[in-house]
Amino acid sequence: MSVGGEAPGMPAAGTVAFAIEDTTSYNALRPLVEALEGDDTVDCEVLWLDSLYPPESGRRVPAKVHRRHDHRLAESFMKRDEPVFTRFPDGLRDAMVQKLLVDRLSHRPFYDTAGYLDAADPDVLVAAMDSIPFLRHLVRDAGERGVETLVLQHGVYPNNLDASVLAVRNGVLSPSFDPVFPPLERLKRRLLYPYGFSVYTNPFVGEVLAMGTFFQRRIAALREEYPCDGTTPVTVTGSPEFDGGVQPYEPRTDSVLYLSQQTYESGFWTEENLDWHVDRLGRLDEVADVTVRPHPKDSAAKMDRYREQVAVSSEPSLAADIADYDVILASHSTALFEGVVQGKVCGVLTVPWDDTETHQAFEPFTHRHIVQVRPGTENLDRAAAERSVETQREYLRRFCYTPSAFEVDGSSSTELVLDRIRERLGDRRLEQVPATS
C-alpha cells in the first residue's frame, strides 16, 4: 500500500499519529494502524494515553496525563476487576472541576500536549473521540500547529445526538437551538462550550468520518448549530471495526449473546436496575442459551452478578464472539452493528428506566430490522422470521455503511478512511512546499 502512488525508497509522505484513549477506540483504529504499519511511505505514530498496552517498539511517546481531572483515563481500562468510572456524585463533581478549571482556564498544567506534539511531529492526527478532555485539547493544539485532524466515529449514545435533550440537559446554561437573544447565546456558548456541547461537535476537528448517512446528517446538523458554522465536513466512511464481509441474514434463535455496557460503572444504573437486568436475562435464558459479553469497562463485581443467572464470555474478539451465537442483543450499543454485518438476529433488550422518547425515536435501535425484546416477548422465533436480507441491507446502508456490500469494486471502510488520511497528508505536504519566485 502506498500514499499518493509513491515508489518504494521515496521520502516518507508524512507522519500519521493515532490517539487511542481506551479499548473501544483501539478496536476502531487498530485496522488503520495495522494497514499503515505496512506502508513504507508513511511514518505511523501511536499515542497510548496510559499504560494499557505493551509499548510499540520505538514508537511510543509518553504523554503526561493528570488523571484526577480526567477520571476516564484510568490505569484499569483493560481490567475487569474494578470499576473504571467514578460513580456519581464524585464523577459528576470531577466533571464540573474539569469544565470550570481546565476548559475555561488552561489545560497546560494538566496535559503535556506540546511535549507530545514536539516529540511526534505529526502531519495528521486521527482520534476516535473529540470530547474527552485530553483529546479535545490535543486536537486544538495540533490544529494550531497546522496539523490535519480527523475524528472517526466509533460509537454513540442516543442522548449525544438529540438536540432537544441537549437543550434541556443543563437548563438555562445549556445551548439553546432557538435563542430569544442570539448575542447572549453566542456569548454563553463561547464561555461555557469552547469545545462543542456534544460528541463530534469539537470546532477544532478538521473532518468527522461517520458510520452511515443517518449519523452524517445528525452530526452535521449539530455542528452547524454551533460552534462550527458548518465548516467541518462530515463524511460517510463506515467503520473499519465492522469491515468484515457481510453475511446474509439467518433467522436462527437458539443462542443469545448480550453485549454489556458500562452503564452501572458510570453511575447510570442503580443497584436495583442491575438486579432487574440480571433477573431479566435469567428469564430469557429459560428459552434460549444466554451469554453476556463484558464491556472493557465492566467491573468483575457486575460480571459476578450476571454469573448467578447466565454464562459470561471470555472471548477477546467481538467479531469471533458474535459468530458463535444466533441472536445478538444490547441495550444501546453500536457494537450491535457487527451482528447485523454477520447476518445475526439483532435486538434491543428494553429496560423500563430507559424507555424515554429519545431512546424510542433513535433509529439505529428502533429500525424495523432490530427486534424490540420487551418483558413477555422472550419468544424470538416469530420476530426473527419477520426480518430479511432486504431489511439487513437497508439497515447497513443507513447506519453502518459497508462498502463491500454495495460497491462493485469491493472497497472497504478501512480503505475509505485511509483515502481520507492520504488526502490530508497531501494537503499538509502542499502547505509545506515553499513558494517559488
Side-chain angles (χ1 to χ4, degrees):
M1 186 183 301
S2 63
V3 176
E6 293 177 296
M10 293 290 288
T15 299
V16 181
F18 293 88
I20 296 174
E21 89 279 3
D22 66 4
T23 53
T24 54
S25 67
Y26 172 67
N27 291 332
L29 297 177
R30 178 173 53 183
L32 305 172
V33 175
E34 291 174 347
L36 289 179
E37 285 285 342
D39 188 339
D40 293 336
T41 66
V42 177
D43 290 330
C44 188
E45 181 76 46
V46 179
L47 167 63
W48 308 111
L49 297 192
D50 53 28
S51 58
L52 297 178
Y53 310 96
E56 298 290 329
S57 59
R59 291 192 173 89
R60 180 173 178 175
V61 178
K64 297 178 182 177
V65 177
H66 193 296
R67 289 185 174 80
R68 178 166 178 248
H69 290 275
D70 190 352
H71 57 281
R72 292 190 56 150
L73 298 180
E75 292 288 344
S76 56
F77 261 127
M78 289 220 19
K79 299 177 182 177
R80 290 173 180 163
D81 58 351
E82 60 179 328
V84 170
F85 287 71
T86 305
R87 287 181 61 78
F88 296 127
D90 292 339
L92 181 60
R93 184 176 64 243
D94 289 346
M96 294 297 290
V97 170
Q98 166 68 52
K99 178 172 286 294
L100 294 175
L101 296 185
V102 184
D103 276 0
R104 290 312 318 145
L105 297 180
S106 175
H107 63 283
R108 302 192 188 282
F110 307 106
Y111 304 117
D112 186 26
T113 54
Y116 170 71
L117 292 169
D118 287 341
D121 192 24
D123 296 287
V124 176
L125 175 69
V126 184
M129 178 62 73
D130 67 346
S131 63
I132 71 169
F134 182 90
L135 287 180
R136 58 188 180 221
H137 297 308
L138 181 63
V139 166
R140 180 173 187 169
D141 288 354
E144 290 176 347
R145 293 176 178 231
V147 177
E148 299 282 340
T149 57
L150 296 169
V151 169
L152 175 69
Q153 180 198 358
H154 76 292
V156 74
Y157 194 70
N159 288 349
N160 294 137
L161 297 182
D162 190 295
S164 63
V165 172
L166 292 170
V168 300
R169 181 178 293 171
N170 297 318
V172 295
L173 295 181
S174 66
S176 171
F177 291 87
D178 187 21
V180 177
F181 302 105
L184 178 61
E185 182 66 21
R186 286 194 294 271
L187 178 64
K188 177 175 65 177
R189 293 182 179 191
R190 294 201 177 277
L191 288 177
L192 298 178
Y193 300 92
Y195 295 97
F197 49 88
S198 178
V199 294
Y200 310 122
T201 64
N202 188 321
F204 305 105
V205 169
E207 184 173 12
V208 177
L209 306 180
M211 286 182 170
T213 55
F214 169 86
F215 295 108
Q216 179 190 40
R217 287 195 292 269
R218 298 289 282 266
I219 293 171
L222 286 178
R223 292 186 69 88
E224 288 169 3
E225 290 289 346
Y226 175 85
C228 303
D229 301 322
T231 58
T232 297
V234 182
T235 306
V236 174
T237 60
S239 170
E241 186 177 3
F242 309 126
D243 219 2
V246 176
Q247 304 298 315
Y249 175 73
E250 289 285 349
R252 293 191 294 265
T253 61
D254 292 335
S255 60
V256 173
L257 181 68
Y258 176 76
L259 307 176
S260 180
Q261 291 176 274
Q262 74 278 16
T263 43
Y264 171 74
E265 285 72 17
S266 56
F268 294 111
W269 281 15
T270 65
E271 297 290 338
E272 292 76 15
N273 293 157
L274 180 58
D275 288 340
W276 187 95
H277 199 260
V278 170
D279 181 69
R280 176 76 180 284
L281 287 177
R283 292 177 183 274
L284 184 59
D285 189 58
E286 296 174 1
V287 296
D289 292 334
V290 175
T291 300
V292 171
R293 175 178 175 81
H295 188 278
K297 301 185 184 77
D298 275 340
S299 63
K302 184 170 80 174
M303 288 303 106
D304 287 343
R305 301 269 283 278
Y306 280 120
R307 285 190 181 92
E308 297 172 3
Q309 298 279 352
V310 297
V312 174
S313 172
S314 59
E315 166 60 52
S317 167
L318 172 67
D321 219 0
I322 285 176
D324 289 338
Y325 295 86
D326 300 324
V327 180
I328 310 302
L329 297 182
S331 292
H332 293 95
S333 171
T334 48
L336 200 67
F337 295 165
E338 177 65 29
V340 180
V341 168
Q342 292 198 30
K344 307 294 183 175
V345 177
C346 294
V348 168
L349 192 68
T350 63
V351 292
W353 57 90
D354 255 359
D355 198 21
T356 63
E357 290 184 7
T358 297
H359 291 90
Q360 291 173 0
F362 200 64
E363 293 181 52
F365 307 123
T366 61
H367 184 271
R368 62 178 181 153
H369 188 67
I370 302 301
V371 178
Q372 302 301 304
V373 184
R374 298 181 174 86
T377 62
E378 279 76 12
N379 190 334
L380 301 173
D381 291 341
R382 176 181 295 180
E386 293 173 352
R387 276 71 191 169
S388 65
V389 172
E390 287 71 26
T391 60
Q392 175 196 23
R393 288 174 59 84
E394 177 186 303
Y395 188 92
L396 290 174
R397 186 183 294 276
R398 183 163 170 75
F399 305 111
C400 188
Y401 182 62
T402 308
S404 59
F406 304 104
E407 307 296 339
V408 294
D409 62 1
S411 59
S412 69
S413 292
T414 300
E415 290 168 343
L416 290 181
V417 176
L418 289 174
D419 286 344
R420 303 306 302 152
I421 294 173
R422 293 177 185 128
E423 289 186 26
R424 294 288 176 170
L425 279 173
D427 293 343
R428 174 74 164 160
R429 171 174 281 188
L430 289 175
E431 293 172 0
Q432 295 175 333
V433 174
T436 57
S437 57

